[in-house]
Amino acid sequence: MNFPNSEPCEANQFSAEHVALLLVSLRRWTGRDLVDPQLPRVEQARQLFAAPFALLSHDTAADPILNYGNRAAMQLFELNWEELSQTPSRLTAEPVYRDERARLLDTVTRQGYIDDYRGVRISRTGRRFLIDTATVWTVLDERGAPYGQAATFSAWKYLDTEGK
């Protein structure tokens, strides 16, 4: 599947094909929807890109690379689209938390999803924040083969003194 080389927008249909895989996989594992499933694919992708919660995904490489982030995720991790699409997802956690993150992703691989994840993450500039009640799931392609993993969360708290 081809991905846009630029941020999701009208011209690339807000990465609708990729977003559809995220949504179908989430529904398969949890029975939940992030947007109205009756909407056209492009409208679902548009709404998710503009949503007030974070949504991101990575591929299945040995060192997975982020391949989607909505506007809220890009702002939270302080990444533009070009930076996001070149970032190994392990870099979203500080080195001290990477073993914990690896265990989480192993659990998601075995179970399909987890819906109560809580952990510390870090932005590109070093800003630390705690995410709470995150859902992390395995993304499957149209044939049901592993395609990556995705996460969504709407609760986070900055752990620095600025308190944005």
Side-chain angles (χ1 to χ4, degrees), residues 3-4 10 13-14 24 27 31-32 35 39 58 100 103 111 113 121 131 148 164:
F3 294 103
E10 287 292 337
Q13 298 189 327
F14 292 92
V24 168
R27 176 177 262 205
R32 293 190 345 239
V35 293
L39 293 171
H58 67 224
E100 168 199 333
R103 283 191 297 277
Q111 295 179 187
Y113 80 101
R121 291 293 171 265
I131 62 174
K164 252 189 193 174

Side-chain angles (χ1 to χ4, degrees), residues 4 7 10 22 34 40 58 63 88 92 95 98 112 131 148 153 156-157 160:
E7 183 174 303
E10 287 292 337
L22 303 183
L34 295 176
H58 67 224
D63 188 10
T92 64
R98 289 185 188 153
I131 62 174
F153 53 92
W156 61 85
K157 176 184 173 187
D160 59 18

Side-chain angles (χ1 to χ4, degrees), residues 8 25-27 30 33 35 47 56 77 83-84 95 102 106 108-109 112 114 118 126 141 143 164:
S25 296
L26 178 65
R27 176 177 262 205
T30 69
D33 295 306
V35 293
Q47 286 187 14
L56 33 131
F77 286 96
E83 293 163 336
L84 178 130
D106 286 343
V108 170
T109 298
I114 187 169
R118 178 184 173 136
D141 68 13
R143 298 174 312 279
K164 252 189 193 174

Side-chain angles (χ1 to χ4, degrees), residues 13 28 39 49 55 60 140 142:
Q13 298 189 327
R28 172 193 170 145
L39 293 171
F49 186 69
L55 173 64
T60 59
L140 304 173
E142 297 88 353

